[in-house]
Amino acid sequence: MERLITGTDLLNIGFKENAVLGMTLDLVNRKYASQDKEEVLVLLKNLNDAPESFLEDEALGNLAQAIIDEANKPKDEVIPLVENANGYTIYGEQNIEEGAKDQMKVAMKLPVTVAGSLMPDAHQGYGLPIGGVLAAKNAIIPYGVGVDIGCRMALSIYDIPESFFMENQAKFKRELIAQSKFGAGQGFKGKEKANHDVLDRDEFNINPLLKNLKDKAWSQLGTSGGGNHFVEFGIIEFEQRDEVLNIDKGRYLALLTHSGSRGLGGIVAGYYTKLAKSICKLPREAENLAYLDMNSQEGMEYWIAMNLAGDYASACHQVIHDKMTRAVGGKVLAKVENRHNFAWKEILNGEEVIVHRKGATPAGKGVMGIIPGSMTAPGFLVRGKGEENAINSASHGAGRLMSRTQAIKNVTRDDMRQVLKDHGVTLIGAGKDEAPMAYKDINTVMASQKDLVDVVAKFTPKMVRMADDGSRED
């Protein structure tokens, strides 16, 4: 035979692209290499068309059985999307990129989708866009939650006056560096490790995945990731007394932190996303929205793991805030915390749904939240209005104007230093991908969600610590 039989030759006579194709190529090019190619192809076509006739053949029997087994395998059925899907509400539409809107349109076509909404800080992500809110019926979408499960903001308001902070910035900078640890893969060792009740939770024993993550969780407890995660001091201003928080009108020093569930959440997200994709076959444009039935073993496992990761993220913030409070002194007047990248069981239009908020903040009536701007732009302490059209949600920040790649390419270090100087902000760490100009105007974002939240106080960053490696995240 002048040349070996190729995969294209086999496809042309009716073979499919599967494991049998490779088996056939291996067999024929070992055992039939000396025979006429055309004769071999005729033999193989007969084999593929009627494999049961070759079961007793000494050379081709095993291959015939493999062809029969492949044909009898249960076919993966692709779940069709809904053709005439419901619409969704958009806030600040004029400042949202088309890619995020397109992703939201696909999410609305899932057969489990009940309602959706897009927040004014929205931008394109994986599966559900960042800033996307999706209510689903009895289904949980790992990529609808996101990779950094339970990522959150936490705020401690101190009785320390602004003047004391301004006069002692060297001390606060020293403690900000000493009491925080940043970066992908970073953790504490030995006596540096913190303790928290979350590490004693029974959920760590539900399966080998979580059991094997417990040591990593302990090591990273009280640390912050890379990317846009931060620990910062700033001045929070109340223009009037807030009765709920019991804080008088005035300006106070505050500590604001942003980070999530570190390696624990990232590994859980990756594992269950892959599992969901193997179980829930969706069309290509929706494959990152693969979901798990809440009544299934896999769905319940993910729900438990997600909640554990969320509580772990909260514990990380608690450790950071406790360490910093002990270091700087002062009394904590109030603490506020809210999470995004999570899913909740809620009632919407009289039925229980699973509400996914990927980069969106809960904003039910009276629910407190923190919406940051950038390292130089103000953040806002807010109280939700409970707007059902937004599925009781609000933005989780300003949202990116530039991708990380665009920011690194377009922003210079001099530009970044100048804007920090203009705003009187001391920066420790951070890459150009986190430059203030890489983010949308927080005031425009807030103006787009006046129907969703009331502003309680305004937070102005003064000293910001971020990961030195910039773009790397867990």
Side-chain angles (χ1 to χ4, degrees):
M1 188 166 63
E2 294 181 0
R3 61 185 177 88
L4 298 178
I5 288 176
T6 67
T8 301
D9 293 328
L10 295 181
L11 292 174
N12 287 338
I13 61 172
F15 280 77
K16 304 294 184 186
E17 286 196 48
N18 52 37
V20 170
L21 187 74
M23 288 177 59
T24 307
L25 284 172
D26 178 64
L27 177 71
V28 297
N29 287 316
R30 279 189 298 105
K31 295 195 173 185
Y32 294 87
S34 61
Q35 296 189 27
D36 180 77
K37 177 180 178 179
E38 294 305 321
E39 289 181 1
V40 174
L41 287 175
V42 170
L43 174 67
L44 293 176
K45 186 176 187 314
N46 291 335
L47 168 68
N48 192 49
D49 290 345
E52 61 279 359
S53 302
F54 290 82
L55 288 173
E56 303 301 324
D57 188 288
E58 183 177 341
L60 300 174
N62 289 338
L63 183 57
Q65 186 62 59
I67 293 172
I68 293 170
D69 291 345
E70 183 67 32
N72 291 331
K73 276 175 55 176
K75 298 293 187 292
D76 288 330
E77 291 190 12
V78 175
I79 300 169
L81 300 180
V82 176
E83 290 187 13
N84 300 310
N86 293 329
Y88 61 94
T89 54
I90 311 179
Y91 295 87
E93 181 174 7
Q94 65 275 18
N95 295 309
I96 297 177
E97 62 189 5
E98 289 302 316
K101 297 176 191 176
D102 291 341
Q103 285 186 316
M104 200 67 205
K105 288 175 185 174
V106 173
M108 293 304 296
K109 294 179 179 181
L110 295 178
V112 295
T113 294
V114 175
S117 188
L118 205 53
M119 299 298 103
D121 62 337
H123 53 96
Q124 191 168 344
Y126 290 97
L128 198 64
I130 313 300
V133 183
L134 194 74
K137 183 67 174 175
N138 203 44
I140 183 80
I141 307 166
Y143 257 177
V145 169
V147 174
D148 193 7
I149 298 172
C151 190
R152 65 190 56 223
M153 309 294 304
L155 177 76
S156 289
I157 303 169
Y158 297 109
D159 64 349
I160 300 173
E162 178 181 7
S163 58
F164 183 83
F165 171 76
M166 299 304 292
E167 293 164 5
N168 295 275
Q169 289 195 57
K171 169 184 169 58
F172 283 94
K173 182 177 181 179
R174 184 170 63 250
E175 297 300 346
L176 194 55
I177 294 171
Q179 306 302 330
S180 61
K181 184 180 282 286
F182 277 83
Q186 292 296 311
F188 294 112
K189 297 178 181 178
K191 293 180 180 180
E192 288 185 322
K193 288 183 179 179
N195 284 299
H196 192 281
D197 291 347
V198 74
L199 295 173
D200 299 325
R201 292 270 289 269
D202 290 339
E203 290 94 318
F204 274 109
N205 298 313
I206 68 166
N207 60 26
L209 175 73
L210 291 177
K211 193 168 186 177
N212 291 334
L213 286 172
K214 188 172 180 177
D215 284 345
K216 177 184 281 289
W218 188 17
S219 168
Q220 295 189 324
L221 182 65
T223 66
S224 305
N228 61 359
H229 294 155
F230 59 77
V231 178
E232 63 187 28
F233 286 114
I235 305 303
I236 191 164
E237 181 177 10
F238 289 79
E239 293 187 350
Q240 60 187 30
R241 173 175 168 77
D242 189 82
E243 294 294 342
V244 176
L245 294 178
N246 191 29
I247 294 183
D248 288 330
K249 174 183 176 180
R251 295 167 65 87
Y252 305 85
L253 178 69
L255 177 72
L256 182 61
T257 54
H258 173 220
S259 60
S261 50
R262 302 302 321 273
L264 167 65
I267 292 171
V268 165
Y271 176 84
Y272 284 99
T273 294
K274 185 176 180 180
L275 185 61
K277 286 183 175 182
S278 71
I279 294 171
C280 176
K281 303 292 184 180
L282 292 168
R284 187 179 183 84
E285 67 270 26
E287 61 187 5
N288 283 331
L289 293 166
Y291 52 86
L292 297 168
D293 190 308
M294 286 293 290
N295 293 330
S296 69
Q297 177 71 24
E298 297 85 0
M300 286 309 301
E301 274 190 16
Y302 174 75
W303 181 259
I304 292 168
M306 179 198 72
N307 276 279
L308 177 63
D311 291 345
Y312 171 79
S314 181
C316 284
H317 284 268
Q318 185 180 334
V319 169
I320 295 168
H321 281 246
D322 287 350
K323 287 171 66 174
M324 205 68 72
T325 299
R326 286 194 297 270
V328 304
K331 177 184 176 183
V332 177
L333 300 175
K335 290 187 74 173
V336 177
E337 186 176 335
N338 66 274
R339 67 181 69 176
H340 46 269
N341 289 8
F342 208 68
W344 292 258
K345 289 182 180 179
E346 296 181 9
I347 302 299
L348 185 66
N349 298 323
E351 69 172 335
E352 184 181 85
V353 293
I354 306 298
V355 177
H356 304 74
R357 293 186 177 96
K358 187 179 183 183
T361 298
K365 190 168 182 61
V367 174
M368 298 295 295
I370 308 132
I371 303 175
S374 70
M375 62 178 68
T376 58
F380 297 89
L381 179 61
V382 299
R383 188 169 284 124
K385 292 186 174 182
E387 174 55 58
E388 281 212 349
N389 287 328
I391 317 180
N392 299 304
S393 306
S395 80
H396 81 314
R400 295 197 72 92
L401 183 63
M402 301 181 197
S403 70
R404 295 188 182 281
T405 302
Q406 287 173 325
I408 291 169
K409 181 179 178 181
N410 297 324
V411 176
T412 69
R413 284 287 178 184
D414 287 341
D415 291 339
M416 199 164 163
R417 277 191 286 266
Q418 188 60 52
V419 74
L420 288 164
K421 183 179 178 181
D422 291 345
H423 287 83
V425 173
T426 299
L427 177 63
I428 306 162
K432 292 192 297 179
D433 55 316
E434 285 301 320
M437 51 282 277
Y439 284 85
K440 297 179 184 179
D441 181 352
I442 186 61
N443 294 301
T444 301
V445 170
M446 295 305 294
S448 300
Q449 53 186 352
K450 287 181 177 179
D451 293 338
L452 311 185
V453 293
D454 287 319
V455 174
V456 176
K458 182 179 178 180
F459 174 90
T460 303
K462 289 297 180 183
M463 189 176 289
V464 181
R465 173 105 198 258
M466 303 183 82
D468 294 329
D469 54 21
S471 62
R472 291 181 62 204
E473 294 184 85
D474 282 324

